[in-house]
Amino acid sequence: MRQLIALWRKETLALWRDHHGLAALFLMPVIFILVMTMALHDAFMPGASIDVDYGIVDLDGSVHAQRLAAQLDGNSSFRRQSAGDDLAAGREAIRDGRLALVLVVPAGFGERLLLPSGSDGKPTAALTVMLDPALNPALRLAFQSQIAAALGRLRADELTQRAAAQFGLSFAPGLQARDWPEEIVSIAVQNTRDVRPPSSVQQNVPAWLVFAMFFVVIPVASIFIVERQGGTLQRLSSMGLSPAYLLAGKLLPFFVVNQLQALVMVLVGMKVVPLLGGEALIMPAGRGLFWWWVVAAAVSLGAVAWALLVASLARTIQQATIVGGIGNILMGALGGVMVPRFMMPATMQQLAEWSPMAWGLESFHQIMLRQGGLSEILPGLAKLLTFALLALALAVWFNHRKTQ
Amino acid sequence: MLTVDALSHTYPGSSAPALNELSLSIPDGEVYGLLGPNGAGKTTLISAIAGVLSPERGEIRLDGQPLAEVRRRDRRAIALVPQDHAFYPMLTVRENLRFFAGILDLDGAGQAARIDECLAFACLVQVADQRAEHLSGGLRRRLNLAIGLLGRPRLLLLDEPTVGVDPQSRHFLLESIAALPAAGTSVVYTSHYMEEVQAICRQLAILDQGRVLLAGSLDSLLRNQETVLEVAGGALPPLLCERHGLQPGEDNSYRLSQAGTASLAALLADLAAAGIALEGLQHGQRNLEQVFISLTRRSLRD
């Protein structure tokens, strides 16, 4: 036991004096959580306004064109600004970056609202959307869909009114000006009690926590390489210290560091993010909290084992920093830390299955967003523990090979 | 008595063996020198004795018992001081000693007392609370040695312990090491500095290419039956060489075997009569460099 205490004390002192390592473990993820939570605040909120301006150039001037504009104003997630009175003004507004989209309502739009193109032998000019080429294609499609929906409602209104007039039916006053109710409502399925969708903070805290936990690779590798290069490992071996003790001497301190990281990141999510205007992190309670900790422990084992493997492979601290750092960034990019997995195309989502960070993040989400239990997190836990055991076995093998 | 019997080891990827059927007997109560050029197998032999390397063939025994058995009964019996600074630069001198004392399982009160003794022995008391990374090269070497002494080992293995230190620290280290056998610690001392080995070792072995070239007491190894003369001004007259049995060597040197006082006096008289100046005369003794060159035709520093 005296040996283990000496090893733990040594690792703690070494880490405490490694200011760069501490910054990578604690400061970096806190900054990432705060910045990314605020930056992606609206991206996770259904119905949040989209920060894109559009304008309408009305070349028709009919009451129907005005009603189309009113429909878009009432239901569009985009923000309407003045676009001028003609095409040239609309183009200019896009070119100077004031507007991203301009809807051009052609002359004769109102007259030919219910006439399919060419059905009376005359062509019907189409609604035109002028757009900024740098605009996200998804936003372009969303805008077109909203125009199509508004146009459909306008035509339905017009048909209803004409039919009522034709059949002599009375029509409730003010109907033309009414708002149509939202016909499609998004509801995030979380659990039976709570139907709130995941917020930005609930994506970002576990994501950057997993990322930060894997950054123990830097201090673990630094100390390990100092030990190997300086002959300290050789000396410890000659003192009869078994490799198992050596390993335990490293696993526990960095496991504790990982748990401290978890505590700090959760507190930042719960207490600091709301101070900056974001939504507070909601942690599971009771048994959910226990499973959350089990996932944190499994991620930690994977992270420390990965760190030991990198330390065993690298010859110098610089090599370990590069291999560990780039490896972590790749695992993070693939695993949904930087870009949430659901935003990735299908191929990338399949690739993400290979990232240990994705296993940890998915398990956290199972508990935090879907109130999952052991059966839901078991696949992720199994993968993380297998990864940890494999990495440890490889680390031991590489070290054995180097000392012989 | 440490006995090394037919030890062989080849590192993976290397074509030449690091140890090649090496056998050696190292007596107790001495500073025993292992001398040899870089790559002679000194560090490999030390690593095998320290138990950090398992040789492919051969056996090492301490007082007739296999090393593994000795180490199992008392793992502080043999201590290794590696060639590099084998400690933690980010820890202070005292923290380093406390860490290694913990690894050796020294208990609380005994641990503190032993740390103080080692600090005093290595003259590190003044810098006990300085981080190791801020120490000079000489002080680092002293800390390396002090850690090796924490467990009061019966056998201390020192691998090139004076590399890169200033003359003052070297002198201090050599004096400290020479005093260890009196305190109950036998020492195996490897070096490629022949002056150091000559200064503190009474017994030694010369290693090269994984083999023992020569082993024995320093006196016997340095004793020389040959007289070597170095003369100025070109070669000696052949007639003079023939009369005194002089064998030409390198750089105007001549060797004379089994020279007695009378024959040496006659030779010097003839040289004086011929007006030949003598630049050097060595009789009865040689240094380790010359011993090594005579064995391998190479310099120790090659």
Side-chain angles (χ1 to χ4, degrees):
Chain A
M1 194 60 199
R2 205 171 276 128
Q3 288 183 325
L4 275 180
I5 291 171
L7 286 164
W8 293 337
R9 190 182 143 82
K10 175 260 296 177
E11 293 289 343
T12 309
L13 281 171
L15 179 63
W16 185 247
R17 286 168 191 170
D18 177 7
H19 297 156
H20 293 108
L22 284 177
L25 291 177
F26 289 95
L27 195 59
M28 178 196 72
V30 167
I31 291 172
F32 270 127
I33 284 175
L34 294 177
V35 170
M36 298 306 283
T37 299
M38 302 319 294
L40 295 173
H41 182 251
D42 290 343
F44 291 86
M45 302 283 277
S49 66
I50 297 166
D51 191 22
V52 170
D53 293 329
Y54 78 102
I56 295 176
V57 173
D58 184 359
L59 301 177
D60 185 38
S62 68
V63 66
H64 297 98
Q66 287 165 13
R67 277 164 55 195
L68 176 70
Q71 287 273 0
L72 282 173
D73 282 349
N75 293 305
S76 174
S77 302
F78 296 84
R79 211 169 33 227
R80 184 169 161 198
Q81 306 285 351
S82 166
D85 299 327
D86 53 22
L87 282 174
R91 281 178 185 278
E92 194 55 35
I94 289 178
R95 263 202 296 269
D96 66 17
R98 200 165 52 79
L99 298 178
L101 296 149
V102 170
L103 170 65
V104 181
V105 181
F109 168 76
E111 275 180 25
R112 301 184 60 80
L113 184 65
L114 297 179
L115 284 173
S117 178
S119 60
D120 60 350
K122 295 177 188 171
T124 300
L127 289 169
T128 306
V129 176
M130 298 191 290
L131 51 92
D132 179 350
L135 184 69
N136 184 334
L139 290 176
R140 176 171 55 84
L141 283 173
F143 187 63
Q144 285 176 347
S145 300
Q146 292 200 349
I147 296 170
L151 191 59
R153 284 196 289 266
L154 194 63
R155 280 180 174 144
D157 272 354
E158 186 65 20
L159 267 175
T160 310
Q161 283 180 40
R162 286 193 193 180
Q166 199 162 0
F167 295 109
L169 301 172
S170 63
F171 213 73
L175 187 66
Q176 289 176 16
R178 81 200 189 291
D179 287 331
W180 288 77
E182 191 70 58
E183 285 160 344
I184 303 168
V185 178
S186 300
I187 295 174
V189 179
Q190 192 172 23
N191 56 62
T192 49
R193 288 179 291 111
D194 186 358
V195 291
R196 285 159 53 89
S199 63
S200 171
V201 74
Q202 279 170 299
Q203 156 68 23
N204 280 304
V205 169
W208 293 106
L209 170 61
V210 170
F211 189 67
M213 279 179 157
F214 272 80
F215 261 88
V216 291
V217 69
I218 306 290
V220 167
S222 300
I223 300 171
F224 195 71
I225 290 169
V226 163
E227 286 175 323
R228 198 177 58 221
Q229 285 181 339
T232 313
L233 284 185
Q234 204 186 21
R235 172 171 247 163
L236 290 173
S237 170
S238 77
M239 288 177 165
L241 186 74
S242 73
Y245 266 67
L246 190 67
L247 217 55
K250 291 191 181 294
L251 276 174
L252 190 83
F254 284 98
F255 182 81
V256 172
V257 165
N258 280 160
Q259 302 316 304
L260 279 175
Q261 284 180 300
L263 184 68
V264 170
M265 302 313 142
V266 165
L267 285 176
V268 166
M270 291 172 83
K271 305 291 180 191
V272 182
V273 170
L275 294 178
L276 299 175
E279 200 173 319
L281 177 74
I282 299 166
M283 285 294 284
R287 188 170 285 189
L289 190 61
F290 172 73
W291 292 127
W292 193 94
W293 177 78
V294 170
V295 174
V299 172
S300 177
L301 284 177
V304 180
W306 156 249
L308 288 171
L309 176 60
V310 171
S312 307
L313 282 170
R315 290 207 178 102
T316 62
I317 294 175
Q318 287 77 8
Q319 271 185 6
T321 310
I322 292 168
V323 172
I326 291 178
N328 281 359
I329 289 167
L330 280 177
M331 278 196 272
L334 270 181
V337 170
M338 290 144 196
V339 179
R341 271 180 78 184
F342 63 79
M343 289 187 179
M344 295 178 183
T347 326
M348 290 304 291
Q349 290 198 23
Q350 281 177 344
L351 264 180
E353 285 294 330
W354 293 94
S355 167
M357 288 193 194
W359 307 332
L361 188 52
E362 179 59 23
S363 301
F364 275 132
H365 281 165
Q366 285 287 356
I367 297 165
M368 296 174 79
L369 305 180
R370 300 177 198 110
Q371 291 235 321
L374 178 61
S375 55
E376 283 78 20
I377 61 172
L378 201 55
L381 288 182
K383 286 181 197 169
L384 279 167
L385 293 178
T386 309
F387 171 75
L389 285 175
L390 270 176
L392 275 181
L394 280 173
V396 169
W397 184 71
F398 277 119
N399 273 305
H400 180 73
R401 217 177 62 152
K402 277 185 181 171
T403 53
Q404 290 303 300
Chain B
M1 170 81 82
L2 183 82
T3 49
V4 178
D5 186 22
L7 216 57
S8 292
H9 187 76
T10 305
Y11 288 105
S14 171
S15 54
L19 298 176
N20 190 0
E21 297 286 320
L22 187 145
S23 297
L24 202 58
S25 293
I26 299 177
D28 278 341
E30 301 243 6
V31 179
Y32 190 93
L34 289 178
L35 189 66
N38 290 327
K42 303 186 299 290
T43 299
T44 309
L45 176 59
I46 286 272
S47 302
I49 299 172
V52 296
L53 180 137
S54 305
E56 290 163 335
R57 286 189 304 280
E59 194 180 31
I60 308 174
R61 289 175 173 267
L62 186 62
D63 295 336
Q65 288 190 313
L67 270 193
E69 175 66 21
V70 174
R71 206 169 279 114
R72 196 182 57 75
R73 279 194 288 117
D74 177 12
R75 59 194 183 85
R76 299 178 203 155
I78 301 171
L80 169 70
V81 177
Q83 198 175 122
D84 298 307
H85 300 132
F87 48 76
Y88 295 91
M90 69 292 278
L91 302 189
T92 66
V93 169
R94 192 184 294 279
E95 285 166 350
N96 266 298
L97 288 166
R98 192 180 297 157
F99 166 70
F100 286 105
I103 297 299
L104 287 170
D105 210 14
L106 297 178
D107 62 15
Q111 184 187 100
R114 187 60 188 152
I115 289 171
D116 286 341
E117 284 169 21
C118 290
L119 283 171
F121 176 85
C123 285
L124 288 169
V125 178
Q126 299 290 327
V127 293
D129 296 317
Q130 265 187 37
R131 286 199 204 171
E133 62 197 343
H134 298 144
L135 298 179
S136 67
L139 290 175
R140 287 180 195 207
R141 286 282 166 202
R142 292 190 208 179
L143 174 57
N144 218 19
L145 175 64
I147 294 167
L149 293 171
L150 275 169
R152 288 194 180 86
R154 276 176 59 194
L155 180 63
L156 182 67
L157 307 167
L158 296 172
D159 192 5
E160 307 267 4
T162 59
V163 171
V165 300
D166 56 279
Q168 197 181 350
S169 289
R170 179 179 303 230
H171 181 71
F172 173 84
L173 282 166
L174 291 177
E175 273 197 342
S176 307
I177 293 163
L180 287 173
T185 297
S186 304
V187 178
V188 174
Y189 186 96
T190 80
S191 179
H192 63 275
Y193 295 128
M194 57 179 181
E195 308 88 351
E196 288 183 1
V197 173
Q198 216 164 318
I200 62 169
C201 303
R202 282 167 45 201
Q203 298 274 336
L204 66 102
I206 297 176
L207 270 56
D208 191 38
Q209 296 176 348
R211 289 173 178 273
V212 176
L213 295 181
L214 206 60
S217 71
L218 183 67
D219 288 345
S220 67
L221 294 181
L222 296 184
R223 197 173 301 130
N224 192 5
Q225 300 302 319
E226 245 180 11
T227 300
V228 179
L229 295 101
E230 285 175 38
V231 295
L236 291 176
L239 203 62
L240 190 73
C241 291
E242 197 177 327
R243 186 186 310 150
H244 293 281
L246 289 170
Q247 297 295 321
E250 292 168 356
D251 301 332
N252 291 337
S253 71
Y254 291 85
R255 297 178 183 281
L256 179 62
S257 297
Q258 308 289 337
T261 313
S263 59
L264 203 54
L267 170 64
L268 292 175
D270 280 357
L271 286 173
I276 296 166
L278 204 59
E279 282 196 333
L281 173 65
Q282 203 171 50
H283 178 72
Q285 193 83 1
R286 56 184 172 172
N287 64 32
L288 285 171
E289 179 82 24
Q290 288 164 329
V291 175
F292 187 79
I293 289 170
S294 71
L295 291 167
T296 65
R297 302 286 164 208
R298 285 188 290 119
S299 165
L300 260 174
R301 299 179 205 287
D302 285 349

